[in-house]
């Protein structure tokens, strides 16, 4: 059964880089049927899609965050990662990694989510 | 971005009674392929969101029949025919007709 697990620091200083990794169960990341995404739950504001990446490196970034974002994939480690630069308190959120279902030929929804990790931006 | 507005933002329901949540999008969610990309998710306390309904009205595998979705274009509804204690949590609508995919603010459902 496929599982996703986020990892990374729970506290990041303002203007530093928030770096998170998502580990996918072995053998499941290298498939064209799914894309790999980051989503965050901002306090009082709900869920926000951040970015996705395919196993081959195709990417999409939310335009509202694009200038500060990088997403990468390492299939040898069954991981994909997120870097968000120059963070502020407004980036404090629960960050989820998730799998996008593209099995119908069109990516349509997030069918599997990690448990999420709280990241606080504070000095 | 396609804005998604849910109402109400919170709901308190007596067990066994129905519940209804509305979701309105800023533009039509009907794709040129003929499908309407409106999804519903449910997040239990302490857990991550899980998919409930896809393409407006289709239940994902394992979702109880008491959950149903309806609507078209820009207006959609999630209904729970008879609320149970395990239905407590937050419900989100989400559109995937255009990137970036966007979510409603969430509706918190409590049981009286």
């Amino acid at each position: 059964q496929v599982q996703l697990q986020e990892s990374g620091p729970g506290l990041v200083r303002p203007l530093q880089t928030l770096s998170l990794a998502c580990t996918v169960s072995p053998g499941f990341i290298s498939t064209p049927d799914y894309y790999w995404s980051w989503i965050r739950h901002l306090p009082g504001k709900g869920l926000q899609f951040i970015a996705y990446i395919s196993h081959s490196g195709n990417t999409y970034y939310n335009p509202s965050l694009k200038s500060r974002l990088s997403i990468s994939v390492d299939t040898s480690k069954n991981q994909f990662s997120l870097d968000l630069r120059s963070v502020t308190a407004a980036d404090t959120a629960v960050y989820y990694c998730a799998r996008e279902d593209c099995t119908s030929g069109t990516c349509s929804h997030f069918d599997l989510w990690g448990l999420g990790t709280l990241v606080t931006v504070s000095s | 971005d396609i804005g998604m507005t849910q109402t109400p933002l919170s709901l308190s329901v007596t067990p066994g009674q129905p519940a209804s949540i509305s979701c309105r999008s800023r533009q039509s969610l009907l794709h040129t392929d003929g499908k309407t990309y409106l999804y519903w998710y449910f997040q239990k306390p302490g857990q991550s969101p899980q998919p409930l309904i896809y393409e407006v009205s289709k239940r994902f595998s394992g979702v109880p029949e008491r959950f149903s979705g309806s609507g078209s274009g820009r207006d959609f509804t999630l209904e729970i025919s008879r609320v149970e204690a395990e239905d407590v949590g937050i419900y989100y609508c989400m559109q995937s007709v255009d990137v970036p995919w966007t979510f409603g603010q969430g509706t918190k459902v409590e049981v009286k």
Side-chain angles (χ1 to χ4, degrees), chain B residues 1-34:
Chain B
D1 296 12
I2 297 178
M4 305 290 287
T5 303
Q6 282 180 237
T7 54
L9 298 183
S10 65
L11 202 51
S12 184
V13 187
T14 300
Q17 294 300 303
S20 181
I21 300 169
S22 294
C23 176
R24 171 169 283 189
S25 58
R26 200 155 62 193
Q27 64 190 67
S28 174
L29 303 186
L30 176 63
H31 195 274
T32 53
D33 65 7

Side-chain angles (χ1 to χ4, degrees), chain A residues 45-90:
Chain A
K45 292 188 177 182
L47 295 165
Q48 181 185 37
F49 168 76
I50 300 172
Y52 72 61
I53 190 166
S54 71
H55 76 288
S56 59
N58 294 329
T59 60
Y60 174 81
Y61 298 110
N62 189 318
S64 68
L65 299 167
K66 185 175 183 178
S67 63
R68 299 192 289 134
L69 274 176
S70 295
I71 190 171
S72 60
V73 64
D74 187 336
T75 55
S76 67
K77 294 182 178 179
N78 298 299
Q79 280 188 344
F80 61 105
S81 301
L82 176 76
D83 284 336
L84 180 63
R85 297 177 290 278
S86 302
V87 297
T88 69

Side-chain angles (χ1 to χ4, degrees), chain A residues 41 60 96 107-108 110 113-114, chain B residues 39 41 43 48-49 92 96 101:
Chain A
H41 190 168
Y60 174 81
Y96 295 96
C107 297
S108 59
F110 306 108
W113 300 57
Chain B
Y39 290 75
Y41 284 85
Q43 184 172 25
S48 51
Y92 297 94
S96 56
W101 296 353

